[in-house]
Amino acid sequence: MLDQQTKEAFYARDYEPMFGNLHFHTEHSDNMRSIETVVKRAKEEGYKGLGITDHDTITGWGEFSEICKQEKMEFILGAEFYGRAFDVPFHLVSYDFDPENERVKALLQDGKEREQYKTRTRFELGVQRGTIKGITWEEIVEYNKGINFLYHAHVSRAMIAKGVLDPKDRAKFREENFVPKNVPIPPFRKAPDVKDVIEIVKSAGGVTFMAHPSYQDREEYMKPLIELGVRGIELWHPSNRPEIYEEIQELIEKNRLYTGGGTDHHGYMEGQPFYEPGSEKNGARSVPRAMFGVTEEHFRQLKERALG
């Protein structure tokens, strides 16, 4: 992530607004804003095209497609998968794959089960400690009907709706009562191999990108992941360090890759204020309007699968 001084300079520069946002989330994973809110605010921000990438789920695809059509926004369907390679975890964004492919269904089911295990285990540990009261896991599931990637925020919003958690205590609930660092959870199965995710998505007609190389310091793995078969790398993403952009562009051009990018549910698309240089209103997720994403050329390259 950018330090504050670098962020001030980087975000204050002149830039051309991006055409498309190919990485963001909705209430179907870890952004509690509805799909309608996200799409309409993206349009207000100035984006013309969107690519939905909820974590390990495609339960929002139908609604997203319909709302984009209503708002006359171009769109691409995708998801963000977790994977492991070289004994290191990675985030992968995949697009344009067949949702009815049996291997894709198995991959999505695996992601759903891993996330629900983490969330339910933490919930039950909270019940045992007495820090979660007045609600059952079944009520959490019922309140979030139609959503299968159940995250800690789905728990807190169900508790708020039932009246057993004060909205102003949401952040405190997460840090102190739901996912305290000193309360480990029993191990579960690991994320699939990166190579397997890439191959499964490819077999279903899709393409997979390496997400935000600077996040968790993964820049050194860009070339190894290209060798494993990723067909794109995210370039304009708020987690990427400015000094890495040139290297990413060179790798994209040299290897004939797709260019990715997006807000990753940062900025106004998540309801945060826009970034204003020097303003005290700036939060960790505040970014300038349409600064991150892809150009129209790169959006069409992916949508039309121009690079094969």
Side-chain angles (χ1 to χ4, degrees), residues 78-114:
E80 183 170 15
F81 296 108
Y82 296 107
R84 294 187 65 85
F86 320 109
D87 203 31
V88 173
F90 291 94
H91 292 206
L92 307 163
V93 282
S94 299
Y95 303 95
D96 196 29
F97 52 84
D98 178 7
E100 296 303 317
N101 179 281
E102 292 302 321
R103 297 179 71 198
V104 165
K105 286 182 177 180
L107 182 65
L108 291 166
Q109 180 68 20
D110 175 67
K112 165 189 170 180
E113 290 177 1
R114 282 186 286 108

mmCIF file of all heavy atoms in Angstrom, residues 78-114:
data_model
loop_
_atom_site.group_PDB
_atom_site.id
_atom_site.type_symbol
_atom_site.label_atom_id
_atom_site.label_comp_id
_atom_site.label_asym_id
_atom_site.label_seq_id
_atom_site.Cartn_x
_atom_site.Cartn_y
_atom_site.Cartn_z
ATOM 1 N N GLY A 78 -17.233 -12.090 -13.964
ATOM 2 C CA GLY A 78 -16.037 -12.732 -13.456
ATOM 3 C C GLY A 78 -16.144 -13.072 -11.982
ATOM 4 O O GLY A 78 -17.197 -12.929 -11.363
ATOM 5 N N ALA A 79 -15.040 -13.519 -11.419
ATOM 6 C CA ALA A 79 -14.964 -13.854 -9.999
ATOM 7 C C ALA A 79 -13.509 -13.781 -9.577
ATOM 8 O O ALA A 79 -12.593 -13.881 -10.404
ATOM 9 C CB ALA A 79 -15.510 -15.253 -9.739
ATOM 10 N N GLU A 80 -13.300 -13.590 -8.281
ATOM 11 C CA GLU A 80 -11.942 -13.603 -7.733
ATOM 12 C C GLU A 80 -11.757 -14.891 -6.937
ATOM 13 O O GLU A 80 -12.505 -15.159 -6.002
ATOM 14 C CB GLU A 80 -11.700 -12.397 -6.836
ATOM 15 C CG GLU A 80 -10.270 -12.330 -6.304
ATOM 16 C CD GLU A 80 -9.947 -11.023 -5.612
ATOM 17 O OE1 GLU A 80 -10.887 -10.263 -5.287
ATOM 18 O OE2 GLU A 80 -8.751 -10.758 -5.381
ATOM 19 N N PHE A 81 -10.761 -15.664 -7.343
ATOM 20 C CA PHE A 81 -10.477 -16.928 -6.683
ATOM 21 C C PHE A 81 -9.207 -16.829 -5.846
ATOM 22 O O PHE A 81 -8.307 -16.046 -6.154
ATOM 23 C CB PHE A 81 -10.300 -18.049 -7.718
ATOM 24 C CG PHE A 81 -11.523 -18.356 -8.514
ATOM 25 C CD1 PHE A 81 -11.612 -17.990 -9.857
ATOM 26 C CD2 PHE A 81 -12.599 -19.014 -7.938
ATOM 27 C CE1 PHE A 81 -12.746 -18.282 -10.604
ATOM 28 C CE2 PHE A 81 -13.737 -19.310 -8.674
ATOM 29 C CZ PHE A 81 -13.817 -18.935 -10.014
ATOM 30 N N TYR A 82 -9.144 -17.645 -4.817
ATOM 31 C CA TYR A 82 -7.916 -17.782 -4.037
ATOM 32 C C TYR A 82 -7.166 -19.004 -4.549
ATOM 33 O O TYR A 82 -7.773 -20.013 -4.910
ATOM 34 C CB TYR A 82 -8.234 -17.971 -2.555
ATOM 35 C CG TYR A 82 -8.909 -16.784 -1.912
ATOM 36 C CD1 TYR A 82 -10.255 -16.824 -1.575
ATOM 37 C CD2 TYR A 82 -8.194 -15.629 -1.646
ATOM 38 C CE1 TYR A 82 -10.881 -15.733 -0.983
ATOM 39 C CE2 TYR A 82 -8.802 -14.525 -1.050
ATOM 40 C CZ TYR A 82 -10.143 -14.588 -0.723
ATOM 41 O OH TYR A 82 -10.760 -13.510 -0.144
ATOM 42 N N GLY A 83 -5.840 -18.895 -4.574
ATOM 43 C CA GLY A 83 -5.037 -20.028 -5.003
ATOM 44 C C GLY A 83 -3.691 -20.012 -4.306
ATOM 45 O O GLY A 83 -3.298 -19.006 -3.707
ATOM 46 N N ARG A 84 -2.977 -21.130 -4.384
ATOM 47 C CA ARG A 84 -1.659 -21.231 -3.771
ATOM 48 C C ARG A 84 -0.654 -21.743 -4.795
ATOM 49 O O ARG A 84 -0.955 -22.609 -5.620
ATOM 50 C CB ARG A 84 -1.681 -22.182 -2.567
ATOM 51 C CG ARG A 84 -2.508 -21.697 -1.403
ATOM 52 C CD ARG A 84 -2.343 -22.607 -0.193
ATOM 53 N NE ARG A 84 -0.989 -22.579 0.336
ATOM 54 C CZ ARG A 84 -0.546 -21.654 1.204
ATOM 55 N NH1 ARG A 84 -1.357 -20.704 1.618
ATOM 56 N NH2 ARG A 84 0.696 -21.693 1.645
ATOM 57 N N ALA A 85 0.550 -21.176 -4.721
ATOM 58 C CA ALA A 85 1.669 -21.646 -5.542
ATOM 59 C C ALA A 85 2.948 -21.261 -4.811
ATOM 60 O O ALA A 85 2.991 -20.217 -4.141
ATOM 61 C CB ALA A 85 1.644 -21.006 -6.923
ATOM 62 N N PHE A 86 3.968 -22.095 -4.917
ATOM 63 C CA PHE A 86 5.251 -21.827 -4.256
ATOM 64 C C PHE A 86 5.046 -21.651 -2.739
ATOM 65 O O PHE A 86 5.760 -20.884 -2.094
ATOM 66 C CB PHE A 86 5.912 -20.577 -4.855
ATOM 67 C CG PHE A 86 5.776 -20.483 -6.358
ATOM 68 C CD1 PHE A 86 4.945 -19.525 -6.938
ATOM 69 C CD2 PHE A 86 6.445 -21.379 -7.185
ATOM 70 C CE1 PHE A 86 4.801 -19.447 -8.303
ATOM 71 C CE2 PHE A 86 6.311 -21.303 -8.559
ATOM 72 C CZ PHE A 86 5.479 -20.340 -9.118
ATOM 73 N N ASP A 87 4.017 -22.329 -2.214
ATOM 74 C CA ASP A 87 3.660 -22.260 -0.790
ATOM 75 C C ASP A 87 3.278 -20.844 -0.358
ATOM 76 O O ASP A 87 3.491 -20.443 0.790
ATOM 77 C CB ASP A 87 4.806 -22.775 0.087
ATOM 78 C CG ASP A 87 4.297 -23.248 1.456
ATOM 79 O OD1 ASP A 87 3.146 -23.725 1.535
ATOM 80 O OD2 ASP A 87 5.043 -23.120 2.444
ATOM 81 N N VAL A 88 2.694 -20.087 -1.283
ATOM 82 C CA VAL A 88 2.289 -18.696 -1.051
ATOM 83 C C VAL A 88 0.860 -18.515 -1.553
ATOM 84 O O VAL A 88 0.509 -19.035 -2.619
ATOM 85 C CB VAL A 88 3.238 -17.728 -1.798
ATOM 86 C CG1 VAL A 88 2.728 -16.293 -1.716
ATOM 87 C CG2 VAL A 88 4.648 -17.811 -1.231
ATOM 88 N N PRO A 89 -0.003 -17.786 -0.815
ATOM 89 C CA PRO A 89 -1.363 -17.542 -1.301
ATOM 90 C C PRO A 89 -1.416 -16.402 -2.321
ATOM 91 O O PRO A 89 -0.670 -15.425 -2.214
ATOM 92 C CB PRO A 89 -2.128 -17.160 -0.026
ATOM 93 C CG PRO A 89 -1.089 -16.556 0.859
ATOM 94 C CD PRO A 89 0.187 -17.291 0.567
ATOM 95 N N PHE A 90 -2.307 -16.537 -3.295
ATOM 96 C CA PHE A 90 -2.490 -15.511 -4.327
ATOM 97 C C PHE A 90 -3.975 -15.243 -4.535
ATOM 98 O O PHE A 90 -4.820 -16.106 -4.262
ATOM 99 C CB PHE A 90 -1.884 -15.975 -5.658
ATOM 100 C CG PHE A 90 -0.390 -16.066 -5.665
ATOM 101 C CD1 PHE A 90 0.240 -17.267 -5.376
ATOM 102 C CD2 PHE A 90 0.390 -14.954 -5.945
ATOM 103 C CE1 PHE A 90 1.625 -17.363 -5.365
ATOM 104 C CE2 PHE A 90 1.778 -15.039 -5.942
ATOM 105 C CZ PHE A 90 2.393 -16.247 -5.646
ATOM 106 N N HIS A 91 -4.260 -14.054 -5.069
ATOM 107 C CA HIS A 91 -5.601 -13.710 -5.514
ATOM 108 C C HIS A 91 -5.584 -13.720 -7.036
ATOM 109 O O HIS A 91 -4.678 -13.160 -7.663
ATOM 110 C CB HIS A 91 -6.013 -12.319 -5.016
ATOM 111 C CG HIS A 91 -6.197 -12.245 -3.538
ATOM 112 N ND1 HIS A 91 -7.028 -11.310 -2.942
ATOM 113 C CD2 HIS A 91 -5.680 -12.966 -2.524
ATOM 114 C CE1 HIS A 91 -7.002 -11.466 -1.631
ATOM 115 N NE2 HIS A 91 -6.177 -12.464 -1.353
ATOM 116 N N LEU A 92 -6.597 -14.347 -7.622
ATOM 117 C CA LEU A 92 -6.699 -14.466 -9.071
ATOM 118 C C LEU A 92 -8.070 -13.987 -9.520
ATOM 119 O O LEU A 92 -9.079 -14.394 -8.946
ATOM 120 C CB LEU A 92 -6.520 -15.924 -9.500
ATOM 121 C CG LEU A 92 -5.260 -16.632 -8.999
ATOM 122 C CD1 LEU A 92 -5.418 -18.140 -9.126
ATOM 123 C CD2 LEU A 92 -4.031 -16.154 -9.770
ATOM 124 N N VAL A 93 -8.114 -13.109 -10.517
ATOM 125 C CA VAL A 93 -9.408 -12.686 -11.060
ATOM 126 C C VAL A 93 -9.602 -13.369 -12.409
ATOM 127 O O VAL A 93 -8.719 -13.334 -13.262
ATOM 128 C CB VAL A 93 -9.523 -11.149 -11.189
ATOM 129 C CG1 VAL A 93 -9.797 -10.520 -9.840
ATOM 130 C CG2 VAL A 93 -8.277 -10.533 -11.806
ATOM 131 N N SER A 94 -10.750 -14.007 -12.557
ATOM 132 C CA SER A 94 -11.047 -14.766 -13.775
ATOM 133 C C SER A 94 -12.315 -14.227 -14.418
ATOM 134 O O SER A 94 -13.241 -13.808 -13.725
ATOM 135 C CB SER A 94 -11.232 -16.247 -13.445
ATOM 136 O OG SER A 94 -10.058 -16.796 -12.893
ATOM 137 N N TYR A 95 -12.359 -14.259 -15.748
ATOM 138 C CA TYR A 95 -13.476 -13.678 -16.480
ATOM 139 C C TYR A 95 -13.989 -14.613 -17.569
ATOM 140 O O TYR A 95 -13.238 -15.433 -18.116
ATOM 141 C CB TYR A 95 -13.041 -12.369 -17.160
ATOM 142 C CG TYR A 95 -12.477 -11.338 -16.226
ATOM 143 C CD1 TYR A 95 -11.098 -11.236 -16.034
ATOM 144 C CD2 TYR A 95 -13.298 -10.450 -15.533
ATOM 145 C CE1 TYR A 95 -10.566 -10.284 -15.175
ATOM 146 C CE2 TYR A 95 -12.781 -9.499 -14.679
ATOM 147 C CZ TYR A 95 -11.412 -9.424 -14.504
ATOM 148 O OH TYR A 95 -10.902 -8.491 -13.639
ATOM 149 N N ASP A 96 -15.265 -14.407 -17.886
ATOM 150 C CA ASP A 96 -15.860 -14.969 -19.102
ATOM 151 C C ASP A 96 -15.800 -16.495 -19.145
ATOM 152 O O ASP A 96 -15.591 -17.074 -20.208
ATOM 153 C CB ASP A 96 -15.158 -14.368 -20.328
ATOM 154 C CG ASP A 96 -15.948 -14.578 -21.611
ATOM 155 O OD1 ASP A 96 -17.188 -14.666 -21.533
ATOM 156 O OD2 ASP A 96 -15.315 -14.651 -22.686
ATOM 157 N N PHE A 97 -16.019 -17.140 -18.008
ATOM 158 C CA PHE A 97 -16.031 -18.605 -17.991
ATOM 159 C C PHE A 97 -17.471 -19.114 -17.925
ATOM 160 O O PHE A 97 -18.384 -18.397 -17.511
ATOM 161 C CB PHE A 97 -15.211 -19.155 -16.821
ATOM 162 C CG PHE A 97 -15.573 -18.577 -15.469
ATOM 163 C CD1 PHE A 97 -16.620 -19.083 -14.725
ATOM 164 C CD2 PHE A 97 -14.838 -17.511 -14.956
ATOM 165 C CE1 PHE A 97 -16.947 -18.558 -13.492
ATOM 166 C CE2 PHE A 97 -15.160 -16.973 -13.713
ATOM 167 C CZ PHE A 97 -16.216 -17.499 -12.980
ATOM 168 N N ASP A 98 -17.659 -20.347 -18.344
ATOM 169 C CA ASP A 98 -18.984 -20.963 -18.370
ATOM 170 C C ASP A 98 -19.392 -21.348 -16.948
ATOM 171 O O ASP A 98 -18.778 -22.230 -16.341
ATOM 172 C CB ASP A 98 -18.945 -22.201 -19.263
ATOM 173 C CG ASP A 98 -20.276 -22.947 -19.305
ATOM 174 O OD1 ASP A 98 -21.277 -22.430 -18.752
ATOM 175 O OD2 ASP A 98 -20.302 -24.041 -19.896
ATOM 176 N N PRO A 99 -20.448 -20.728 -16.391
ATOM 177 C CA PRO A 99 -20.852 -21.032 -15.021
ATOM 178 C C PRO A 99 -21.435 -22.427 -14.858
ATOM 179 O O PRO A 99 -21.551 -22.929 -13.742
ATOM 180 C CB PRO A 99 -21.897 -19.956 -14.720
ATOM 181 C CG PRO A 99 -22.478 -19.619 -16.054
ATOM 182 C CD PRO A 99 -21.316 -19.703 -17.007
ATOM 183 N N GLU A 100 -21.812 -23.069 -15.974
ATOM 184 C CA GLU A 100 -22.399 -24.406 -15.910
ATOM 185 C C GLU A 100 -21.351 -25.506 -16.027
ATOM 186 O O GLU A 100 -21.678 -26.690 -15.935
ATOM 187 C CB GLU A 100 -23.445 -24.569 -17.019
ATOM 188 C CG GLU A 100 -24.644 -23.633 -16.874
ATOM 189 C CD GLU A 100 -25.334 -23.802 -15.528
ATOM 190 O OE1 GLU A 100 -25.522 -24.957 -15.097
ATOM 191 O OE2 GLU A 100 -25.665 -22.783 -14.901
ATOM 192 N N ASN A 101 -20.104 -25.132 -16.234
ATOM 193 C CA ASN A 101 -19.035 -26.109 -16.306
ATOM 194 C C ASN A 101 -18.909 -26.819 -14.965
ATOM 195 O O ASN A 101 -18.840 -26.177 -13.915
ATOM 196 C CB ASN A 101 -17.721 -25.399 -16.673
ATOM 197 C CG ASN A 101 -16.548 -26.340 -16.748
ATOM 198 O OD1 ASN A 101 -15.990 -26.732 -15.730
ATOM 199 N ND2 ASN A 101 -16.157 -26.687 -17.963
ATOM 200 N N GLU A 102 -18.878 -28.145 -14.964
ATOM 201 C CA GLU A 102 -18.888 -28.909 -13.719
ATOM 202 C C GLU A 102 -17.642 -28.655 -12.869
ATOM 203 O O GLU A 102 -17.710 -28.616 -11.639
ATOM 204 C CB GLU A 102 -19.022 -30.409 -14.013
ATOM 205 C CG GLU A 102 -20.378 -30.796 -14.584
ATOM 206 C CD GLU A 102 -21.537 -30.413 -13.657
ATOM 207 O OE1 GLU A 102 -21.389 -30.564 -12.426
ATOM 208 O OE2 GLU A 102 -22.573 -29.949 -14.159
ATOM 209 N N ARG A 103 -16.509 -28.454 -13.506
ATOM 210 C CA ARG A 103 -15.288 -28.190 -12.746
ATOM 211 C C ARG A 103 -15.329 -26.799 -12.126
ATOM 212 O O ARG A 103 -14.820 -26.590 -11.013
ATOM 213 C CB ARG A 103 -14.065 -28.364 -13.638
ATOM 214 C CG ARG A 103 -13.901 -29.783 -14.169
ATOM 215 C CD ARG A 103 -12.693 -29.881 -15.073
ATOM 216 N NE ARG A 103 -11.449 -29.779 -14.312
ATOM 217 C CZ ARG A 103 -10.279 -29.484 -14.867
ATOM 218 N NH1 ARG A 103 -10.189 -29.244 -16.176
ATOM 219 N NH2 ARG A 103 -9.188 -29.414 -14.134
ATOM 220 N N VAL A 104 -15.912 -25.853 -12.825
ATOM 221 C CA VAL A 104 -16.096 -24.514 -12.263
ATOM 222 C C VAL A 104 -17.033 -24.574 -11.064
ATOM 223 O O VAL A 104 -16.793 -23.952 -10.024
ATOM 224 C CB VAL A 104 -16.634 -23.532 -13.326
ATOM 225 C CG1 VAL A 104 -17.176 -22.258 -12.675
ATOM 226 C CG2 VAL A 104 -15.548 -23.175 -14.329
ATOM 227 N N LYS A 105 -18.115 -25.335 -11.202
ATOM 228 C CA LYS A 105 -19.052 -25.484 -10.085
ATOM 229 C C LYS A 105 -18.349 -26.062 -8.856
ATOM 230 O O LYS A 105 -18.579 -25.620 -7.732
ATOM 231 C CB LYS A 105 -20.212 -26.403 -10.494
ATOM 232 C CG LYS A 105 -21.212 -25.766 -11.446
ATOM 233 C CD LYS A 105 -22.341 -26.746 -11.734
ATOM 234 C CE LYS A 105 -23.398 -26.135 -12.631
ATOM 235 N NZ LYS A 105 -24.499 -27.084 -12.911
ATOM 236 N N ALA A 106 -17.469 -27.034 -9.085
ATOM 237 C CA ALA A 106 -16.733 -27.641 -7.970
ATOM 238 C C ALA A 106 -15.767 -26.638 -7.341
ATOM 239 O O ALA A 106 -15.597 -26.596 -6.111
ATOM 240 C CB ALA A 106 -15.977 -28.878 -8.455
ATOM 241 N N LEU A 107 -15.135 -25.826 -8.182
ATOM 242 C CA LEU A 107 -14.218 -24.799 -7.692
ATOM 243 C C LEU A 107 -14.960 -23.776 -6.832
ATOM 244 O O LEU A 107 -14.499 -23.394 -5.752
ATOM 245 C CB LEU A 107 -13.542 -24.102 -8.882
ATOM 246 C CG LEU A 107 -12.508 -23.024 -8.561
ATOM 247 C CD1 LEU A 107 -11.301 -23.614 -7.843
ATOM 248 C CD2 LEU A 107 -12.066 -22.320 -9.858
ATOM 249 N N LEU A 108 -16.133 -23.344 -7.299
ATOM 250 C CA LEU A 108 -16.952 -22.389 -6.549
ATOM 251 C C LEU A 108 -17.459 -23.008 -5.249
ATOM 252 O O LEU A 108 -17.508 -22.344 -4.210
ATOM 253 C CB LEU A 108 -18.123 -21.912 -7.412
ATOM 254 C CG LEU A 108 -17.754 -21.029 -8.603
ATOM 255 C CD1 LEU A 108 -18.932 -20.918 -9.562
ATOM 256 C CD2 LEU A 108 -17.311 -19.649 -8.140
ATOM 257 N N GLN A 109 -17.839 -24.276 -5.300
ATOM 258 C CA GLN A 109 -18.311 -24.960 -4.099
ATOM 259 C C GLN A 109 -17.202 -25.045 -3.052
ATOM 260 O O GLN A 109 -17.436 -24.845 -1.853
ATOM 261 C CB GLN A 109 -18.807 -26.361 -4.459
ATOM 262 C CG GLN A 109 -19.323 -27.185 -3.282
ATOM 263 C CD GLN A 109 -20.606 -26.638 -2.681
ATOM 264 O OE1 GLN A 109 -21.331 -25.873 -3.328
ATOM 265 N NE2 GLN A 109 -20.899 -27.020 -1.449
ATOM 266 N N ASP A 110 -15.988 -25.306 -3.510
ATOM 267 C CA ASP A 110 -14.847 -25.378 -2.603
ATOM 268 C C ASP A 110 -14.627 -24.026 -1.919
ATOM 269 O O ASP A 110 -14.414 -23.957 -0.702
ATOM 270 C CB ASP A 110 -13.595 -25.786 -3.372
ATOM 271 C CG ASP A 110 -12.347 -25.765 -2.512
ATOM 272 O OD1 ASP A 110 -12.246 -26.595 -1.594
ATOM 273 O OD2 ASP A 110 -11.480 -24.900 -2.745
ATOM 274 N N GLY A 111 -14.686 -22.945 -2.703
ATOM 275 C CA GLY A 111 -14.496 -21.617 -2.134
ATOM 276 C C GLY A 111 -15.582 -21.259 -1.139
ATOM 277 O O GLY A 111 -15.311 -20.689 -0.073
ATOM 278 N N LYS A 112 -16.816 -21.605 -1.467
ATOM 279 C CA LYS A 112 -17.955 -21.364 -0.571
ATOM 280 C C LYS A 112 -17.752 -22.092 0.753
ATOM 281 O O LYS A 112 -17.938 -21.513 1.842
ATOM 282 C CB LYS A 112 -19.240 -21.839 -1.242
ATOM 283 C CG LYS A 112 -20.433 -21.980 -0.309
ATOM 284 C CD LYS A 112 -21.598 -22.674 -1.003
ATOM 285 C CE LYS A 112 -22.691 -23.038 -0.026
ATOM 286 N NZ LYS A 112 -23.834 -23.716 -0.670
ATOM 287 N N GLU A 113 -17.360 -23.360 0.682
ATOM 288 C CA GLU A 113 -17.204 -24.159 1.894
ATOM 289 C C GLU A 113 -16.059 -23.645 2.749
ATOM 290 O O GLU A 113 -16.166 -23.614 3.988
ATOM 291 C CB GLU A 113 -16.977 -25.627 1.522
ATOM 292 C CG GLU A 113 -18.214 -26.290 0.944
ATOM 293 C CD GLU A 113 -17.968 -27.717 0.509
ATOM 294 O OE1 GLU A 113 -16.813 -28.203 0.688
ATOM 295 O OE2 GLU A 113 -18.900 -28.361 -0.011
ATOM 296 N N ARG A 114 -14.957 -23.217 2.122
ATOM 297 C CA ARG A 114 -13.837 -22.709 2.898
ATOM 298 C C ARG A 114 -14.208 -21.423 3.634
ATOM 299 O O ARG A 114 -13.880 -21.253 4.808
ATOM 300 C CB ARG A 114 -12.624 -22.480 1.986
ATOM 301 C CG ARG A 114 -11.889 -23.765 1.640
ATOM 302 C CD ARG A 114 -10.609 -23.535 0.848
ATOM 303 N NE ARG A 114 -10.886 -23.168 -0.537
ATOM 304 C CZ ARG A 114 -10.709 -21.972 -1.042
ATOM 305 N NH1 ARG A 114 -10.255 -20.988 -0.278
ATOM 306 N NH2 ARG A 114 -10.971 -21.712 -2.305
#
